[in-house]
Amino acid sequence: MGLGQDYEALDVETLPARLGGVGAVASRVGADASSWTVREVGDGNLNLVFIVEGPAGKAVVKQALPYVRLVGDSWPLPLYRAFYEYHALVRQAARAPGTVPEVLYFDERQALIAMEYLEPHVILRKRLIAGERVEGLGPFLGCFCARTAFRGSELYMASADKKADVALFAGNVEIPAITEALVFTDPYYDAEMNNHTAGLDPIVAKLRADVALKVKAQRMLQRFASNTETMAHGDLHSGSIMSTLTESRIIDPEFAQYGPMGFDIGMLIANYLMAYFSQPGHRDSDLDAYQEWILTVIEETAAAFDAEFRRLWATERTGMLYPKALFEDQNHDSAPACDAVLAELWQDAWAVCGIEMHRRCLSLAHNADFETIEDEPLRASLEARNLMMGAELVKAADDLAGAKAVCGMARGYNERDFL
């Protein structure tokens, strides 16, 4: 990774001069950089993000900062995360074609990526808060998770290629360390940067006193840190998905690392559930129908994941794991082996799901689903439902019957008052 002393953060004035000579960008935006219009639109936690517009079209330029933008330069962060985001995007494009933005240009020394501008796509979280329905959302995201999970594993990849990929991503140390702390550990003690809604203290105390919950959360941290089954997006939430009303794309894989196959689908479903529980803070009309639509999306996502994983198992199982020499070539059915792999995958997914539901309310980097609810007592009551269901998911992950059962659980928690 060739980051040098010449790194310089972009701004709206310097970007045209810096990128005007890059053919892939100029061909997308316009040959005359002086005609470009640049806006800085980054509203995330880490990076600079610019929309560049010219006579030929638009592009997005994303540049890593040497610190966590949400916190400031008191929390330094390596620029190499752009390197891993670039490599993750390349692999996602190959493993799940048509699901991520096209990469136009990558500058490793400047830690920047220029990529396709998605229009008229909007961050999915904003659509869910607004009560909008996205056609085909569940099947799209379920297939994305299944394809990246399967094709990034030794069910599909040659073992030497997989090991080389694991070695490459193993250098991404400090970014996964954020997940290891903020997601798996910080919610369960009084960490320095934690914060939560006033009124939740009894719930927080209950969770932190639950030793079985903390044991399971740490067991999942152990699996996350040591299990290199597949390349995970690593931060697949509704803010990492951009959607129109009929299609979606996945963005921002800078937290990518090799980890458990159930990690992404678990984190994704957690964000669906938080959208579900937050809805009474965003609308009165159409509330019940919209919440039911979200639960339908959860079931469709899980069903699409399972169906696509099984299809790939039958048609693309070319790696060293569960080889056909042991099954089909001896006239043995490999379906029970697939069942077992999926069962373990979903156990991980449900535990991750519950843990993510906790961290988004208790540690740093909350989500807008709850944070934009101005009525604080209402917000606390909705977050309490989310937190208590999360605890049950974590502890019961090994015994859950599937997405339909989880949705039934959500309906039950949605009717309860915990404060």
Side-chain angles (χ1 to χ4, degrees), residues 77-275:
L77 203 61
L79 294 169
Y80 64 52
R81 65 187 187 272
F83 172 89
Y84 293 107
E85 178 168 6
Y86 164 72
H87 280 282
L89 284 167
V90 169
R91 283 154 179 75
Q92 289 169 343
R95 295 169 188 173
T99 61
V100 299
E102 176 191 359
V103 173
L104 306 175
Y105 172 70
F106 171 56
D107 185 334
E108 184 177 343
R109 295 179 71 85
Q110 294 298 319
L112 70 84
I113 306 170
M115 64 190 89
E116 172 189 5
Y117 177 71
L118 299 175
E119 189 176 35
H121 297 67
V122 174
I123 292 295
L124 175 61
R125 195 184 307 281
K126 294 180 179 179
R127 293 200 183 276
L128 296 176
I129 290 171
E132 297 173 349
R133 291 165 169 81
V134 177
E135 183 181 328
L137 183 64
F140 172 81
L141 292 172
C143 284
F144 170 82
C145 290
R147 289 168 185 169
T148 52
F150 191 96
R151 291 171 175 161
S153 78
E154 282 163 316
L155 291 167
Y156 173 79
M157 293 180 72
S159 187
D161 294 339
K162 161 77 178 332
K163 288 178 171 64
D165 239 22
V166 171
L168 176 71
F169 279 87
N172 194 11
V173 175
E174 294 193 45
I175 306 304
I178 295 174
T179 301
E180 290 157 9
L182 296 190
V183 175
F184 290 100
T185 305
D186 288 3
Y188 305 107
Y189 81 109
D190 188 20
E192 180 181 356
M193 288 183 288
N194 282 1
N195 66 91
H196 59 261
T197 301
L200 281 177
D201 287 357
I203 303 295
V204 175
K206 184 180 180 69
L207 297 180
R208 291 179 182 168
D210 190 334
V211 174
L213 172 63
K214 293 188 289 187
V215 167
K216 187 60 182 285
Q218 286 297 291
R219 173 59 181 150
M220 290 312 304
L221 169 58
Q222 183 179 354
R223 285 185 59 74
F224 176 76
S226 61
N227 183 332
T228 60
E229 284 180 329
T230 194
M231 190 194 81
H233 178 286
D235 199 27
L236 188 59
H237 53 76
S238 53
S240 297
I241 301 159
M242 296 192 70
S243 301
T244 68
L245 296 179
T246 58
E247 68 141 32
S248 299
R249 304 283 274 280
I250 315 296
I251 63 171
D252 291 349
E254 64 196 318
F255 279 74
Q257 73 167 79
Y258 274 77
M261 285 196 287
F263 185 80
D264 283 346
I265 191 75
M267 182 169 276
L268 172 64
I269 292 176
N271 281 266
Y272 288 147
L273 287 169
M274 287 183 279

